[in-house]
Amino acid sequence: METTAAALMDQARAAVEPVSQLAVRAQGEDLEACRPHLECAVRLLEAALAAVGHGGQDCAGLRALGQFRRELKKAEVLHEHAGAFYGGLMRVLTNGLEAGYSPRGAGDWRFPAGRRVSIQA
Amino acid sequence: MSLLASLSNTSNTLNAFERAITVAQNNVSNASTPGYASQRLDLNAMPFDPAAGLTGGVVAGDVQSSRNEFAEAAVERAQTSLGTASQQTASLTAVQSALNLSGADGIPATLGNLFQSFSAWSQDPMSEASRQAVMSSAQQVVDSFQTTVTALQQVNQDTERQIGQSVDQINAYAQQLASYNSELRSGDRSDAALDAKIHNTLENLSQIVNFTASVEADGTVTVMIGGQAPLVVGDRQYKITGQIADPASLPPGNPGVPPTANILDASGQDITSKISGGSLDALLDTHNQVLASLLGDAQQPGDLNRLAQAFADNVNQLLMAGNVSDGPPPVTGSPLFSYDTSNATNTAATLAVAPGMTADQLAAIDPGPPYVSNGVAVHLAALANPQDAADEIDNVSYVEFFGNLAAGVGRQLSAATDQQGIQQQVVTQAQNLRQQISGVSLDEQAAALVQFQRAYQANAQLFSVLDSLTQTAVNMLQPLG
């Protein structure tokens, strides 16, 4: 595997790409699934910076960095939009939650941690 | 990114998420609406390339219903089976009650009393009290047959009334569906409220009758009873009718027979055989099979009538073969029972102590040979435990025969009750499955928000780290560039 800064930045960009797709679906589990991709991107970017420090760099590194920044910006935008959507949804749900309504009866609406759930807009 | 591009991006995104929130709000508002299936808005990412003026963000796609037709069909099938079992249980309970197997004035009890009276009479054939006891017990037997027939006829009338009500209810649901189909054609095909009404009506209909429902290309629902007879096609309703057949139109076999219940489609065709599920099926089965086997129809006199005739004929033959006194000249016996001989399905209802019959006309003497002074009375008492095939009906005693009739109904009732319990569970399972697929669960939505919030915060931190690292990289690389 190439360890030049440009190659590492390309790999970091590839790691961020799935984040955009997951942010569009924007279900709870999708956002959780973003995390390993982002952590991977952080590790690759740190490695890329180390590579720059040791050997200096050329234009290829800058080009790769630019592409990475665009991919990151795109993912950030989608991620923020998803956050904004859920903020609105939270406001919608607040009324129902305060009423204590649940289609499964008037019980505690919270449930044990670790249960897989899905959300539909 | 230019200011215009940013504004455009923000505008698109706001529109998309406004629609998404509207869909979510609709789901929450309809969480308890019968038949409602939650909806989902597809969101699509736009290309992101600032250099080319592509600003990214999201746009709203199609609204998708989470309704699963397989899950709907599973619920409808389960409801149909439950409707059958529930109605069978109710109807057979009424039949069993009418048979009065264990009551003191039921047929088994009064037959037993009559046999005891015959036995007491055989011990003292000349006793006036014993003879009067026989007459009294005979009257009780007659009363029990008539009471049982009256109770069964009442069940029959109730069943006919319920069949009529079921047909009316089916037609009312069909009218609703045709109206919804008309609304679908002229309005929004993705109208969730209309979709909920249609599926709620189909589920209600499935409790009454078996049918197939198919969604046409224009979104309307076509409903065929038994998969063959049209009930709703587009905005047209095809009314069915219930017909209690005129006995005159039935094949001559038992004149004056109880009528048969039939269901006719809009063109007048008999579709009774196509109805194989739902409460209507159970009502038709009760009317045309269970009650017909007891009270008779065009093809059979009915077991209750067979019992009444066989018992009355046998008792009468024995008494008429005996003598009241030796004479001279000897006085022969008279028949104890009478009934309408012109209609085999009317025997039990018209069974009576023969007009003019009195206690002193009872013949106890068997003239033989061999001559036995109480031979007839002994023979009559022995009908309780017959040794001769001539004293039996279908190879069992009269009391056993009636017991078998009641036991048959009891077995069917027991099976129907078990089936009702099972089908109730199946319906609950099917509804739960559908709820998981199509339902709106506020608690899950709220919990998902908590999960989302945690994930969002973690990701935001990572984005921040990445931004920081990127800036560092820019600073390091720019001097080289």
Side-chain angles (χ1 to χ4, degrees):
Chain A
M1 180 178 286
E2 284 192 83
T3 56
T4 63
L8 290 165
M9 285 177 189
D10 279 341
Q11 290 172 35
R13 178 182 50 76
V16 170
E17 276 178 354
V19 174
S20 298
Q21 294 160 14
L22 290 165
V24 169
R25 289 213 299 264
Q27 299 191 5
E29 53 264 43
D30 293 325
L31 254 64
E32 282 187 342
C34 288
R35 193 168 174 173
H37 295 291
L38 292 170
E39 288 173 346
C40 178
V42 168
R43 284 195 298 274
L44 289 165
L45 204 55
E46 285 174 341
L49 286 175
V52 171
H54 290 138
Q57 198 43 263
D58 58 6
C59 294
L62 261 180
R63 207 167 33 249
L65 179 61
Q67 289 170 345
F68 172 78
R69 289 178 70 186
R70 277 196 293 278
E71 192 62 43
L72 182 64
K73 189 66 183 172
K74 175 184 169 187
E76 273 192 277
V77 167
L78 291 169
H79 190 254
E80 284 173 15
H81 287 169
F85 164 66
Y86 273 87
L89 183 58
M90 179 67 91
R91 286 196 295 279
V92 169
L93 284 176
T94 298
N95 291 334
L97 295 177
E98 285 175 348
Y101 170 77
S102 168
R104 292 181 181 166
D108 187 350
W109 59 268
R110 289 160 296 195
F111 56 82
R115 178 174 162 191
R116 294 288 292 176
V117 295
S118 63
I119 188 161
Q120 291 176 316
Chain B
M1 187 185 299
S2 71
L3 177 61
L4 188 62
S6 296
L7 286 174
S8 171
N9 181 332
T10 305
S11 172
N12 284 340
T13 302
L14 285 176
N15 286 338
F17 285 118
E18 186 180 347
R19 283 192 61 190
I21 288 177
T22 302
V23 170
Q25 193 159 20
N26 206 24
N27 284 343
V28 173
S29 302
N30 287 288
S32 57
T33 300
Y36 184 79
S38 63
Q39 292 188 310
R40 177 173 55 82
L41 179 67
D42 281 347
L43 299 175
N44 301 316
M46 297 296 287
F48 181 83
D49 187 353
L54 300 174
T55 58
V58 291
V59 292
D62 294 333
V63 175
Q64 304 283 348
S65 171
S66 64
R67 186 175 302 288
N68 181 300
E69 291 300 339
F70 175 80
E72 294 292 341
V75 171
E76 287 163 7
R77 278 197 303 273
Q79 289 281 22
T80 300
S81 298
L82 177 61
T84 306
S86 300
Q87 187 58 57
Q88 275 180 337
T89 302
S91 296
L92 291 171
T93 299
V95 173
Q96 191 181 50
S97 173
L99 289 177
N100 194 11
L101 184 61
S102 57
D105 53 354
I107 290 174
T110 57
L111 282 175
N113 288 342
L114 181 59
F115 294 140
Q116 285 180 5
S117 297
F118 282 144
S119 179
W121 176 42
S122 71
Q123 290 166 23
D124 189 359
M126 302 312 292
S127 164
E128 182 61 22
S130 298
R131 288 168 177 268
Q132 285 296 345
V134 167
M135 293 301 291
S136 174
S137 296
Q139 185 60 50
Q140 287 175 8
V141 168
V142 165
D143 290 344
S144 67
F145 268 97
Q146 289 179 353
T147 302
T148 302
V149 169
T150 302
L152 287 172
Q153 284 173 339
Q154 183 61 50
V155 174
N156 209 33
Q157 286 173 12
D158 289 346
T159 306
E160 288 174 2
R161 181 176 47 77
Q162 288 175 292
I163 289 171
Q165 289 172 342
S166 297
V167 167
D168 290 345
Q169 191 63 62
I170 290 169
N171 285 331
Y173 286 141
Q175 189 178 18
Q176 284 178 12
L177 288 167
S179 166
Y180 297 150
N181 278 347
S182 176
E183 284 184 53
L184 265 177
R185 279 181 171 170
S186 59
D188 180 8
R189 278 187 54 184
S190 63
D191 184 341
L194 197 53
D195 183 59
K197 286 179 187 172
I198 288 173
H199 283 85
N200 191 44
T201 305
L202 287 173
E203 186 174 340
N204 289 335
L205 180 63
S206 69
Q207 294 166 21
I208 306 176
V209 70
N210 59 307
F211 63 85
T212 58
S214 52
V215 179
E216 304 300 329
D218 61 358
T220 58
V221 177
T222 297
V223 181
M224 311 283 277
I225 289 182
Q228 294 177 50
L231 183 65
V232 179
V233 180
D235 56 3
R236 281 202 62 187
Q237 173 199 2
Y238 295 84
K239 272 191 170 182
I240 61 169
T241 50
Q243 182 193 56
I244 305 301
D246 178 2
S249 68
L250 296 170
N254 297 309
V257 296
T260 303
N262 296 309
I263 306 298
L264 308 181
D265 68 8
S267 62
Q269 293 293 312
D270 188 344
I271 58 168
T272 313
S273 62
K274 295 180 174 59
I275 294 170
S276 59
S279 56
L280 181 57
D281 178 44
L283 288 166
L284 289 169
D285 183 69
T286 301
H287 188 277
N288 296 343
Q289 303 296 328
V290 178
L291 289 168
S293 74
L294 295 170
L295 295 173
D297 60 15
Q299 282 77 40
Q300 60 184 332
D303 285 339
L304 204 57
N305 294 308
R306 285 179 59 215
L307 173 65
Q309 183 176 1
F311 177 72
D313 285 353
N314 198 10
V315 170
N316 286 348
Q317 281 172 10
L318 288 169
L319 287 170
M320 290 165 70
N323 288 340
V324 178
S325 64
D326 295 330
V331 179
T332 56
S334 302
L336 179 57
F337 297 110
S338 68
Y339 58 85
D340 175 9
T341 55
S342 66
N343 183 353
T345 62
N346 208 24
T347 306
T350 57
L351 186 67
V353 172
M357 179 66 180
T358 58
D360 55 10
Q361 292 177 293
L362 289 168
I365 302 167
D366 181 354
Y371 175 92
V372 182
S373 63
N374 64 349
V376 172
V378 167
H379 196 155
L380 287 169
L383 293 180
N385 297 295
Q387 305 298 315
D388 188 344
D391 296 333
E392 295 176 334
I393 175 169
D394 290 356
N395 300 319
V396 293
S397 72
Y398 300 116
V399 174
E400 277 181 275
F401 181 81
F402 186 84
N404 289 343
L405 292 187
V409 173
R411 276 194 299 275
Q412 289 182 64
L413 175 57
S414 175
T417 305
D418 290 347
Q419 190 65 10
Q420 186 184 12
I422 292 167
Q423 285 303 327
Q424 186 62 62
Q425 292 177 353
V426 172
V427 166
T428 303
Q429 273 182 355
Q431 285 175 330
N432 284 345
L433 174 66
R434 183 180 61 180
Q435 176 68 17
Q436 285 170 21
I437 296 171
S438 308
V440 182
S441 173
L442 284 184
D443 53 2
E444 289 193 1
Q445 300 237 12
L449 280 176
V450 175
Q451 180 192 27
F452 179 89
Q453 192 178 23
R454 276 203 306 267
Y456 180 82
Q457 287 169 349
N459 291 344
Q461 287 177 352
L462 287 166
F463 274 119
S464 176
V465 170
L466 282 168
D467 279 338
S468 174
L469 288 171
T470 306
Q471 193 55 49
T472 304
V474 168
N475 293 339
M476 290 172 71
L477 286 169
Q478 265 178 345
L480 293 173

